[in-house]
Amino acid sequence: MDKVISVSLGEIILKGLNRKYFEDKLVKQIRKAINDIGFDKIYKEQGKIYIEAAESNFPQMINRLKKVFGLVYISPCIRVEKDMDKIGLASIEVIKDKLSSNPFSTFKVETNRADKKFPATSPEVSREMGGVILRNFNNLKVDVHNPDVYLYIDIKQNGSYIYTDRVKGYGGLPLGTNGKALLLLSGGIDSPVAGFMMAKRGVEISCVHYHSYPFTSERAEEKVKDLAQILSRYMGQIKMYSVNLINIQKEINKNCPEDEMTILSRRFMMRIAERIAEQNDYNALITGENLGQVASQTIYGLNVTNRSVNLPVFRPLIGFDKVDIIDVAKDIETYETSIQPFEDCCTVFLPKHPVTRPKVEDIEKSEEVLDVDGLIEDAINNMKIYTI
């Protein structure tokens, strides 16, 4: 009888012939997440991944694994041979341990017999182990509909695993299995959440941040680095491109209609992001835009913004309510940093009445007086790159 960590996979198990590729990517991410803690062995067995490590490291290890995309549950469990007596002893041990930390009165046994050669069926194992628990714990009762605790028994080809706790992970797909994209990261609430959502779908993320120094402060940029640092807990090392937009904003302010300032700036941001993406092999852009939230995010504004680039633009928050975005931001711990009161580039030359129904032909006409390519090239040539 020994203790291991069991990891349950999410939609990876539906990947058919590509499943091994996704599982190998996931094992690589798991190794990366816990490598500094230390472990003895990681192995795959019939739809799950198991980690052999010192039990004293389990809490820290589970906390790290919760942030690895592709995992739906993480469970500390007892591993024994495929023997009913040994499974019974392990079941008693697991229930005893659970009662000592969190007293309960009802339970249900759920068995998953992945090894179909095991002589007892899943219901037969559950019934017998239920009897074992009742004989050894007088105060416990079976409740098959709404138990306080589930006792899980997984019977695999090379052993049996018994546990009660399932710590929920974020699910999704392993990082790096769905290409690379560039996130337009501001200091607000939405864009970090958008990056998290796409990383959860297996996209490897880098960021581009726009500032208007000296009109915006250096501390505002530091705040965005802090956000990238938080995101790196989920995404690993992040490359961040920091672009000063102030010369472009001055040119727009001097030569274009005041009410188009926001949408014109937005088109420059998208073009610069696309140029960086093309030079660095990113496959798409990601924004935290949300339909109707601000003046540039009307359906008309988004259409005009889209028309400035050719790369796909992912907007994972487009249909979210703000409260839903805030809930995710709090969950991934970016919210408290996002609400720190530092200005961003969008507040510079902010028009009193920004256009909310821009037309592509009007905006393109306004851009004719600007040296669009020259301004973009100058901004990129002077950008800073950070590895976070």
Side-chain angles (χ1 to χ4, degrees):
M1 184 184 298
D2 56 4
K3 294 189 176 181
V4 297
I5 290 177
S6 158
V7 172
S8 300
L9 314 185
E11 58 189 277
I12 290 174
I13 61 174
L14 305 175
K15 291 298 180 184
L17 295 176
N18 293 323
R19 180 168 158 177
K20 184 179 182 305
Y21 165 75
F22 283 88
E23 286 182 342
D24 289 346
K25 280 280 189 181
L26 188 53
V27 169
K28 187 177 177 183
Q29 294 297 329
I30 289 172
R31 286 180 183 277
K32 193 174 175 182
I34 63 173
N35 196 46
D36 64 315
I37 301 175
F39 58 88
D40 298 322
K41 183 180 178 182
I42 297 176
Y43 63 96
K44 299 183 285 185
E45 186 172 13
Q46 292 182 292
K48 287 197 176 185
I49 295 171
Y50 296 94
I51 303 167
E52 295 178 359
E55 186 184 352
S56 58
N57 289 331
F58 279 12
Q60 186 184 10
M61 209 168 267
I62 290 171
N63 191 47
R64 295 271 188 91
L65 293 171
K66 282 162 58 180
K67 300 180 177 70
V68 175
F69 297 127
L71 310 184
V72 289
Y73 292 111
I74 305 109
S75 302
C77 56
I78 289 180
R79 177 178 60 187
V80 295
E81 296 171 23
K82 292 186 296 181
D83 176 274
M84 290 295 271
D85 290 337
K86 291 180 178 176
I87 293 172
L89 290 173
S91 298
I92 291 169
E93 190 68 23
V94 168
I95 291 294
K96 191 187 295 181
D97 186 55
K98 185 68 177 174
L99 280 168
S100 67
S101 62
N102 185 24
F104 61 92
S105 57
T106 63
F107 73 99
K108 178 183 179 181
V109 181
E110 280 201 353
T111 303
N112 178 15
R113 189 187 60 146
D115 179 7
K116 301 305 179 189
K117 292 181 180 177
F118 190 72
T121 65
S122 294
E124 288 171 345
V125 174
S126 294
R127 278 197 298 273
E128 186 161 338
M129 292 306 125
V132 168
I133 300 304
L134 289 173
R135 288 193 294 277
N136 284 275
F137 300 91
N138 295 329
N139 295 328
L140 294 184
K141 295 180 180 177
V142 172
D143 184 342
V144 296
H145 300 294
N146 189 29
D148 296 330
V149 166
Y150 282 90
L151 176 68
Y152 299 103
I153 300 173
D154 295 342
I155 300 176
K156 305 284 187 179
Q157 192 169 359
N158 296 309
S160 301
Y161 302 86
I162 298 93
Y163 55 99
T164 55
D165 295 333
R166 299 202 304 181
V167 179
K168 197 171 180 182
Y170 283 110
L173 295 170
L175 202 63
T177 56
N178 262 329
K180 300 194 299 181
L182 189 63
L183 168 69
L184 278 69
L185 181 64
S186 73
I189 297 170
D190 301 342
S191 56
V193 174
F196 172 84
M197 299 292 286
M198 294 312 302
K200 185 179 168 183
R201 297 309 303 164
V203 178
E204 192 176 320
I205 305 289
S206 292
C207 306
V208 56
H209 168 63
Y210 298 100
H211 63 86
S212 305
Y213 185 80
F215 286 55
T216 57
S217 67
E218 291 182 341
R219 185 63 191 91
E221 187 186 50
E222 289 300 316
K223 172 187 169 184
V224 178
K225 288 184 188 174
D226 291 343
L227 286 170
Q229 185 70 48
I230 297 170
L231 291 176
S232 72
R233 298 173 191 166
Y234 308 92
M235 306 172 191
Q237 197 173 69
I238 293 175
K239 185 175 281 188
M240 178 175 139
Y241 305 87
S242 183
V243 180
N244 193 335
L245 211 62
I246 191 61
N247 289 337
I248 293 173
Q249 291 175 305
K250 285 179 178 176
E251 285 298 300
I252 295 172
N253 185 56
K254 186 169 68 176
N255 298 295
C256 301
E258 181 198 7
D259 63 350
E260 295 176 357
M261 180 75 199
T262 304
I263 195 73
L264 285 166
S265 297
R266 194 71 188 163
R267 280 166 63 89
F268 270 96
M269 291 181 195
M270 298 297 281
R271 287 186 176 114
I272 292 169
E274 183 178 60
R275 189 77 63 88
I276 295 170
E278 289 171 346
Q279 292 171 353
N280 295 276
D281 199 26
Y282 301 117
N283 312 114
L285 306 180
I286 302 168
T287 77
E289 289 165 315
N290 174 259
L291 189 61
Q293 188 175 117
V294 295
S296 65
Q297 296 174 20
T298 63
I299 198 167
Y300 312 97
L302 294 175
N303 179 42
V304 171
T305 302
N306 268 2
R307 298 285 284 273
S308 64
V309 293
N310 295 310
L311 275 180
V313 181
F314 296 149
R315 296 181 172 93
L317 310 184
I318 195 70
F320 275 43
D321 287 338
K322 191 69 179 183
V323 290
D324 297 329
I325 299 171
I326 289 173
D327 285 345
V328 178
K330 288 179 177 177
D331 184 48
I332 64 174
E333 300 180 45
T334 55
Y335 180 74
E336 293 299 329
T337 301
S338 290
I339 61 173
Q340 291 175 9
F342 295 104
E343 69 288 350
D344 65 36
C345 66
C346 294
T347 61
V348 177
F349 303 126
L350 185 67
K352 289 182 180 177
H353 303 289
V355 59
T356 56
R357 288 177 172 253
K359 295 180 180 178
V360 174
E361 56 270 26
D362 294 340
I363 299 300
E364 288 178 344
K365 187 172 181 58
S366 297
E367 288 176 340
E368 287 177 0
V369 300
L370 302 173
D371 178 12
V372 173
D373 289 337
L375 287 167
I376 290 173
E377 188 174 347
D378 181 64
I380 289 177
N381 287 341
N382 289 288
M383 73 181 176
K384 294 179 180 177
I385 303 175
Y386 304 100
T387 300
I388 296 171

